[in-house]
Amino acid sequence: MKISEISGKITALLIFTVLTAGFILTITEKKYNFSLKENRELIEFPEFTLSGLTDGTYGKQLNQYIADHFFGRDKWVSAQADIKMYMGEKILNGVYMDNEMLLDAEVSSREISKKNIEAVNKFYGNYIGTVYFTAIPSNSGVYGDRLPEYLLTNPERNQINFLYDNLTDGIRTIDTYNILRMLSDNYIYYRNDTRLTSYGAYYVYKTVIQKLGFRPSSYDKYTIQHITSDFRGNLYNRCLYDGTKPDILDICSYSGGAEVTNCTAYCNNGMTYRKTLNDEEYLESGDMYRMYMGNEEPFVRIKTSVNNEKKLLLIKDSYADCFIQFLIQHYSEIAVVSPEHMEKPLSSFVNPDNYEQTLFLLGIESMDNDRLFELINK
């Protein structure tokens, strides 16, 4: 027998042994319902049904269960990322991996939902105040030149232009893409997440607040507190690539400025509770970014010590969570609506006409979700 044949059989035996051991450990080890590193729910063991067996759904669910709970899954995914990088194949689970920054490789596959545009236009038509709209590019929108050209058939700049061109003329759109591009040499986006750092959020705030009629607070008036330097974000959750340096989460406090006097969260079940803008308990979770604004609720009312009777309705996604800390200096009340977490109509939480300004501030990546705004006009 040739040496190459012996070597092949030994390799096959080793692979079989590893897979068998992994399968046995997968069956016997303790099961968890949530992956901290991937920040997602893991599939539960599927219920057996004859219909599921015949149509193949049971088999698919069982395969997904085994994949989710395979022994050492996190390490296997991380090792797969390292192997792909070594082989020069930089894309894993829709993430373009780089030692400097992770980027969303699926940026061009998104399309702006016409239902969302129609919903915003309808909101404007029924509202007595002034409506502003700010679409925030993801890190792939600002640093798209790091991606291969074939991944940029529909860049975020085009997506934002399409959105703004189709909003009703009376809606005041605010461009933040160009200012973020100008600042792209700075630490304005996380290395492991699609969203803005607090520093990047400040410059969005600086642009937006002037359009809303205020003079922006100077950045040097803020005390910057580095809460953690171990943040791994939503892009890391998808690929578990450790070659990119972890990120810093900051809290910005205005020295001697206005303060939050009351922060109340309103749940879908009608319950309310007092909360704080920042919840450091989330630093021990799989989603450190949730430190900003804490637990996800459909509606939060923030009251401040600002004595100007100015009130803002903010309709947002998570891109606005670290932006809110800068608004505190300008409004006596900020009503924060998270449409993606609403299970009841907007009118069951708040009357928009009680607020003279409404600001839509969302990541452009949220705008392909057809159901995002389905409850804001009810």
Side-chain angles (χ1 to χ4, degrees), residues 32-225:
Y32 296 92
N33 295 324
F34 190 83
S35 169
L36 284 176
K37 279 199 168 186
E38 295 179 89
N39 189 36
R40 68 177 181 89
E41 299 284 343
L42 301 177
I43 191 172
E44 296 182 359
F45 192 84
E47 181 181 356
F48 177 80
T49 62
L50 284 176
S51 60
L53 181 64
T54 55
D55 66 16
T57 56
Y58 179 76
K60 291 179 181 178
Q61 291 172 349
L62 186 61
N63 285 336
Q64 184 60 57
Y65 174 82
I66 294 172
D68 270 9
H69 296 274
F70 194 84
F71 178 75
R73 173 186 166 83
D74 291 350
K75 292 182 175 59
W76 284 106
V77 175
S78 183
Q80 184 183 10
D82 290 337
I83 291 170
K84 279 186 168 287
M85 286 293 287
Y86 178 77
M87 298 292 291
E89 301 174 10
K90 291 191 170 186
I91 298 176
L92 176 63
N93 294 333
V95 177
Y96 182 82
M97 299 176 293
D98 186 87
N99 288 332
E100 292 186 14
M101 175 178 281
L102 303 179
L103 296 166
D104 186 357
E106 299 176 344
V107 61
S108 292
S109 65
R110 299 192 302 265
E111 293 186 3
I112 305 302
S113 165
K114 292 182 179 179
K115 288 184 179 180
N116 286 336
I117 294 173
E118 291 169 0
V120 175
N121 288 340
K122 183 177 180 180
F123 178 91
Y124 168 78
N126 295 330
Y127 178 61
I128 64 174
T130 308
V131 176
Y132 302 83
F133 201 109
T134 303
I136 308 297
S138 71
N139 66 348
S140 293
V142 172
Y143 297 96
D145 52 0
R146 299 180 182 223
L147 290 169
E149 279 192 29
Y150 73 91
L151 295 176
L152 289 173
T153 56
N154 182 27
E156 284 188 347
R157 179 59 172 167
N158 292 355
Q159 296 174 33
I160 293 172
N161 287 340
F162 176 83
L163 169 63
Y164 286 0
D165 288 345
N166 285 277
L167 291 174
T168 298
D169 288 343
I171 297 173
R172 303 184 184 185
T173 58
I174 304 173
D175 172 53
T176 57
Y177 177 87
N178 286 314
I179 185 65
L180 291 170
R181 280 287 295 171
M182 287 173 56
L183 293 165
S184 60
D185 289 338
N186 297 277
Y187 186 48
I188 57 172
Y189 280 91
Y190 297 114
R191 290 178 286 264
N192 300 272
D193 195 285
T194 59
R195 293 166 290 202
L196 294 162
T197 64
S198 287
Y199 187 65
Y202 170 79
Y203 278 96
V204 169
Y205 147 79
K206 188 176 179 181
T207 300
V208 169
I209 206 66
Q210 292 180 81
K211 298 293 185 180
L212 270 61
F214 296 92
R215 178 180 295 177
S217 304
S218 176
Y219 190 73
D220 60 15
K221 293 289 186 180
Y222 287 90
T223 299
I224 312 301
Q225 182 182 3

Side-chain angles (χ1 to χ4, degrees), residues 259-274:
E259 298 177 350
V260 174
T261 58
N262 183 280
C263 187
T264 303
Y266 296 74
C267 308
N268 284 302
N269 62 7
M271 300 292 290
T272 65
Y273 64 91
R274 294 283 294 271

Side-chain angles (χ1 to χ4, degrees), residues 3-18:
I3 294 177
S4 59
E5 294 178 355
I6 296 174
S7 176
K9 289 184 177 182
I10 292 174
T11 300
L13 180 61
L14 287 173
I15 292 173
F16 175 78
T17 302
V18 169

Side-chain angles (χ1 to χ4, degrees), residues 275-307:
K275 66 179 298 184
T276 58
L277 283 189
N278 304 305
D279 188 346
E280 295 186 27
E281 288 186 5
Y282 277 90
L283 297 178
E284 305 300 323
S285 75
D287 187 5
M288 288 187 182
Y289 187 83
R290 283 258 53 81
M291 176 198 70
Y292 299 115
M293 295 299 295
N295 195 46
E296 297 171 330
E297 301 295 355
F299 182 65
V300 176
R301 179 176 281 113
I302 303 168
K303 294 189 176 182
T304 78
S305 59
V306 175
N307 189 25

Side-chain angles (χ1 to χ4, degrees), residues 302-304 306-311 330-334:
I302 303 168
K303 294 189 176 182
T304 78
V306 175
N307 189 25
N308 63 3
E309 298 185 356
K310 297 284 187 180
K311 299 197 296 184
H330 305 284
Y331 293 94
S332 62
E333 182 179 325
I334 305 168

